[in-house]
Amino acid sequence: MKTNEISRNFKNIQNKIIKAIKTLDSTIVKKLSTWKHKTGGGGISCEMQGSKYIDKAAVNFSSIVGDKLPPSALQKSGVRGLNKFRATGVSVIIHPSNPKTACAHMNIRFFEAKVNKKDVWWFGGGFDLTPYFINKSDIYYWKNSAKELCDKYKKGMYREYNENCNNYFFLPHRNEPRGIGGLFYDQMNSPDYRTCKEFSLDCAETFKNSYSYLFDLKKDKTYTKKEKSFQLYRRGRYVEFNLLYDRGTLFGLQSGGRAESILMSLPPEVTWNKKYDFTKYENNLMEMLSLARK
Amino acid sequence: MKTNEISRNFKNIQNKIIKAIKTLDSTIVKKLSTWKHKTGGGGISCEMQGSKYIDKAAVNFSSIVGDKLPPSALQKSGVRGLNKFRATGVSVIIHPSNPKTACAHMNIRFFEAKVNKKDVWWFGGGFDLTPYFINKSDIYYWKNSAKELCDKYKKGMYREYNENCNNYFFLPHRNEPRGIGGLFYDQMNSPDYRTCKEFSLDCAETFKNSYSYLFDLKKDKTYTKKEKSFQLYRRGRYVEFNLLYDRGTLFGLQSGGRAESILMSLPPEVTWNKKYDFTKYENNLMEMLSLARK
């Protein structure tokens, strides 16, 4: 079973990212909890709260044995008549306090199953950035680090995975991108297991480094009540996306995962009412989001 | 077209409920907006905010002409190969400020289409109550007024519609009911159009009266910061239900309805983190919710 090895690697990634988040905010308090999946395996969830720079972060690891693939996964995979599968993954979400720093998300996952005595496996994952206030240079920095990562592996990869990301992190009912994008890949199993594994671990590393860089750049910026309020309001879009469209969330809930862990990605505080006129902020943000898609 | 008559009735209901909400909180400021549906018809949304008793309320009317039934509706209706349909409805949501008063929801809707030259129509709707703190007598009052309404029409109706409501307003991923229930009916077209119409309008009237009664009973109760915080936390469940499961929300978004109006039901402020230990409040609430299902 490849899953055993990958699980160990992913647990390592979880610990590395927890450490990195502690470096971003030294006031971080973490709450670890473990859970068992009803048909085998389980997970370790780490919820973090800081009193200085980070409102909430979650770094979750899971490795489950399932007996029936939920609809949200079947829809895409094309795999039919499957009885038993293993899935392992790490997911990270960071909701910073300062509205000038961006919310970010990273996820890597591995899926393995025997279908008609054949071993079927694939990797998936990616990362993306959801800013409330951002400038051009930060956008270029973020996109460039994603491109550099891909270029190490294969030409054309960045273009494809970045486009996937743009298509995936989109809210049709708002006609809005969720953020400035990044990478998104699924069912990756070529050229070979080793390369796919390296790429996935590299994804996590790249995410950790480039997010930390941007975070440190902005974390001490001053901000107004109105700017904070805009952040709380825009976080509503994040909730809408996660509950209406996110396959990871739906997969987790439908496969009987632990709701507390799956929904740990939801922001700590959210508003759906506009306390101020945000027109200017919204226009600026939309301009940056569309620039990021070019 | 029956829809024309029903639309007029529903618009009346909208106005009556707006008035009733103003009576509940005299500080209410309302914001009306009209919108057009891309394939015909449109709606009038009324968003209300009070500074005393009501954080947010929305009373929305819509009457649309559609050319393709979205998946969320097809799933249930069994209607296939439909090209054109009309749908009209009123929906009400009230998020009070005082955690001792309950959040409430009411919706009535009418659907009409020609299928193979036959006129197909039905009514649907219902109401339910989502309290954060509630006692037995208030539960009995609420349930009893729903039962009295049903008993005017048909024996056994209450049992059926109340059970529908219990089944519908349930969060499987939390294994929790959303609230204490009420009524929920769908595809009602017997014994005849007139009776179904009367029943639906009566539903709205009953909701208005019994909610107003319970609201006035509790609106001046004192509450602590911790109790308020529990309300904001529990509102998260409301968001989860609406975005993950609610057919009305999904129907609206999938059929290209106006996101701002459809999502007007979302609470103004929500938290997903527990600022206090809510164990006692949660246990009490779960006890009341399960009592309400008996």
Side-chain angles (χ1 to χ4, degrees):
Chain A
M1 290 299 254
K2 296 180 178 66
T3 305
N4 294 335
E5 189 204 19
I6 299 295
S7 282
R8 281 195 302 275
N9 290 320
F10 282 6
K11 234 186 231 168
N12 259 334
I13 293 285
Q14 183 189 32
N15 289 328
K16 270 191 180 180
I17 291 179
I18 291 172
K19 257 192 202 152
I21 292 176
K22 272 189 181 166
T23 313
L24 296 181
D25 183 346
S26 62
T27 69
I28 280 281
V29 177
K30 64 178 187 176
K31 207 173 87 192
L32 282 166
S33 52
T34 56
W35 54 274
K36 280 190 187 309
H37 187 68
K38 56 180 179 181
T39 51
I44 308 167
S45 306
C46 179
E47 197 176 345
M48 306 169 95
Q49 260 187 297
S51 50
K52 197 161 182 196
Y53 296 117
I54 291 176
D55 277 351
K56 185 187 189 180
V59 188
N60 295 344
F61 162 80
S62 66
S63 181
I64 64 155
V65 186
D67 55 0
K68 213 182 143 194
L69 215 52
S72 59
L74 281 171
Q75 197 188 332
K76 268 278 167 185
S77 69
V79 172
R80 295 286 175 277
L82 175 71
N83 287 316
K84 208 172 169 178
F85 69 93
R86 297 192 60 177
T88 180
V90 186
S91 70
V92 182
I93 172 84
I94 304 162
H95 292 289
S97 320
N98 191 325
K100 307 284 176 76
T101 50
C103 165
H105 161 256
M106 192 282 291
N107 164 249
I108 42 176
R109 52 193 183 272
F110 179 72
F111 174 90
E112 190 176 23
K114 277 250 184 302
V115 182
N116 302 328
K117 293 186 185 162
K118 231 190 101 190
D119 190 26
V120 172
W121 59 266
W122 64 69
F123 286 87
F127 52 75
D128 65 289
L129 197 73
T130 310
Y132 312 105
F133 297 93
I134 195 163
N135 60 32
K136 285 184 196 179
S137 55
D138 294 340
I139 292 176
Y140 289 129
Y141 169 80
W142 180 258
K143 289 171 74 84
N144 190 57
S145 55
K147 188 169 184 301
E148 274 181 4
L149 159 69
C150 292
D151 285 352
K152 281 197 278 175
Y153 291 84
K154 199 177 130 192
K155 287 275 163 211
M157 205 186 210
Y158 171 70
R159 205 195 160 110
E160 187 189 337
Y161 293 171
N162 180 244
E163 213 175 284
N164 286 347
C165 189
N166 286 340
N167 294 338
Y168 184 73
F169 293 109
F170 187 80
L171 289 78
H173 67 288
R174 299 283 191 182
N175 194 29
E176 278 176 16
R178 189 176 83 168
I180 65 158
L183 301 177
F184 186 88
Y185 62 102
D186 206 1
Q187 297 182 46
M188 179 201 241
N189 58 8
S190 74
D192 54 62
Y193 168 72
R194 199 193 159 91
T195 312
C196 294
K197 187 185 95 175
E198 294 289 307
F199 177 76
S200 292
L201 301 179
D202 223 354
C203 247
E205 192 67 23
T206 302
F207 168 78
K208 178 172 75 64
N209 296 336
S210 41
Y211 183 71
S212 297
Y213 169 80
L214 284 181
F215 189 93
D216 282 334
L217 212 59
K218 308 285 169 180
K219 68 178 182 193
D220 286 313
K221 289 241 165 205
T222 56
Y223 56 88
T224 64
K225 267 190 185 174
K226 185 174 163 184
E227 286 166 333
K228 180 67 189 172
S229 183
F230 183 60
Q231 178 199 43
L232 299 185
Y233 173 75
R234 291 295 307 178
R235 280 179 177 169
R237 300 292 204 268
Y238 206 87
V239 175
E240 291 172 22
F241 181 85
N242 273 26
L243 300 182
L244 286 170
Y245 307 112
D246 188 57
R247 285 206 294 271
T249 304
L250 301 178
F251 174 93
L253 296 177
Q254 287 170 357
S255 63
R258 185 170 161 263
E260 283 292 339
S261 299
I262 298 160
L263 300 177
M264 214 177 260
S265 64
L266 297 178
E269 284 178 73
V270 192
T271 63
W272 266 276
N273 59 346
K274 294 186 187 184
K275 286 196 178 152
Y276 303 85
D277 177 5
F278 293 137
T279 316
K280 216 176 132 192
Y281 295 164
E282 278 184 322
N283 289 347
N284 281 343
L285 181 58
M286 289 309 138
E287 197 188 320
M288 289 300 116
L289 297 186
S290 77
L291 173 84
R293 311 203 125 212
K294 274 172 196 159
Chain B
M1 288 300 255
K2 295 181 179 67
T3 305
N4 295 335
E5 188 204 21
I6 298 295
S7 282
R8 281 194 303 275
N9 289 320
F10 282 6
K11 235 185 232 169
N12 258 334
I13 294 285
Q14 183 189 32
N15 290 328
K16 268 192 181 177
I17 291 179
I18 291 171
K19 256 191 204 156
I21 292 176
K22 272 187 182 168
T23 313
L24 296 181
D25 184 346
S26 61
T27 69
I28 281 280
V29 177
K30 64 178 186 175
K31 206 174 88 193
L32 283 166
S33 53
T34 56
W35 53 275
K36 281 191 186 311
H37 187 68
K38 56 180 179 179
T39 51
I44 307 167
S45 306
C46 179
E47 196 175 346
M48 306 168 94
Q49 261 188 294
S51 50
K52 197 161 181 195
Y53 296 119
I54 292 176
D55 277 351
K56 185 186 188 181
V59 188
N60 295 345
F61 162 80
S62 66
S63 181
I64 64 156
V65 186
D67 55 0
K68 214 182 143 194
L69 215 53
S72 58
L74 281 171
Q75 198 189 330
K76 268 277 167 188
S77 69
V79 172
R80 294 286 174 278
L82 175 71
N83 286 316
K84 209 172 168 179
F85 69 93
R86 298 193 59 177
T88 180
V90 185
S91 70
V92 182
I93 172 83
I94 304 161
H95 292 289
S97 319
N98 191 325
K100 307 284 175 75
T101 50
C103 166
H105 162 257
M106 192 281 291
N107 163 250
I108 41 176
R109 52 193 182 270
F110 179 72
F111 175 90
E112 190 176 24
K114 276 250 183 304
V115 181
N116 302 328
K117 291 183 187 167
K118 230 190 103 191
D119 191 25
V120 172
W121 59 265
W122 65 69
F123 286 87
F127 51 75
D128 65 288
L129 197 73
T130 310
Y132 312 105
F133 297 93
I134 195 162
N135 61 31
K136 285 185 196 180
S137 55
D138 294 339
I139 290 176
Y140 289 129
Y141 169 80
W142 180 258
K143 289 172 73 86
N144 191 57
S145 55
K147 188 171 184 301
E148 274 180 4
L149 159 70
C150 291
D151 286 352
K152 281 198 278 175
Y153 291 85
K154 198 177 132 193
K155 287 275 164 213
M157 206 186 210
Y158 172 70
R159 203 192 162 110
E160 186 189 338
Y161 292 172
N162 180 245
E163 213 174 283
N164 286 347
C165 189
N166 286 341
N167 294 337
Y168 184 74
F169 293 109
F170 187 79
L171 289 78
H173 67 287
R174 298 284 191 182
N175 195 28
E176 278 176 16
R178 190 176 83 167
I180 63 158
L183 301 176
F184 186 88
Y185 62 103
D186 206 0
Q187 297 181 46
M188 179 201 240
N189 58 9
S190 74
D192 54 63
Y193 168 72
R194 200 194 157 90
T195 312
C196 295
K197 186 185 95 173
E198 294 289 308
F199 177 76
S200 292
L201 301 179
D202 223 353
C203 247
E205 190 68 22
T206 302
F207 168 79
K208 178 173 75 64
N209 296 337
S210 40
Y211 184 70
S212 297
Y213 169 80
L214 283 181
F215 188 93
D216 282 335
L217 212 59
K218 308 285 168 178
K219 68 179 182 194
D220 285 314
K221 289 242 166 206
T222 55
Y223 57 88
T224 64
K225 268 191 185 173
K226 184 174 163 182
E227 286 166 333
K228 180 68 189 173
S229 181
F230 183 60
Q231 178 199 44
L232 299 186
Y233 173 74
R234 292 295 306 178
R235 280 178 178 171
R237 300 293 205 265
Y238 206 86
V239 176
E240 290 173 21
F241 181 84
N242 273 27
L243 299 182
L244 285 170
Y245 307 112
D246 188 55
R247 284 205 294 273
T249 304
L250 301 178
F251 174 92
L253 296 177
Q254 287 171 356
S255 63
R258 185 170 162 265
E260 283 291 340
S261 299
I262 297 160
L263 300 178
M264 214 177 260
S265 63
L266 297 179
E269 284 178 74
V270 192
T271 63
W272 267 276
N273 59 346
K274 294 186 185 183
K275 285 196 178 154
Y276 303 85
D277 176 6
F278 293 138
T279 316
K280 216 177 132 190
Y281 295 164
E282 279 185 320
N283 289 346
N284 282 342
L285 181 58
M286 289 309 136
E287 197 189 320
M288 289 299 118
L289 297 187
S290 78
L291 173 85
R293 310 204 125 210
K294 271 174 197 154

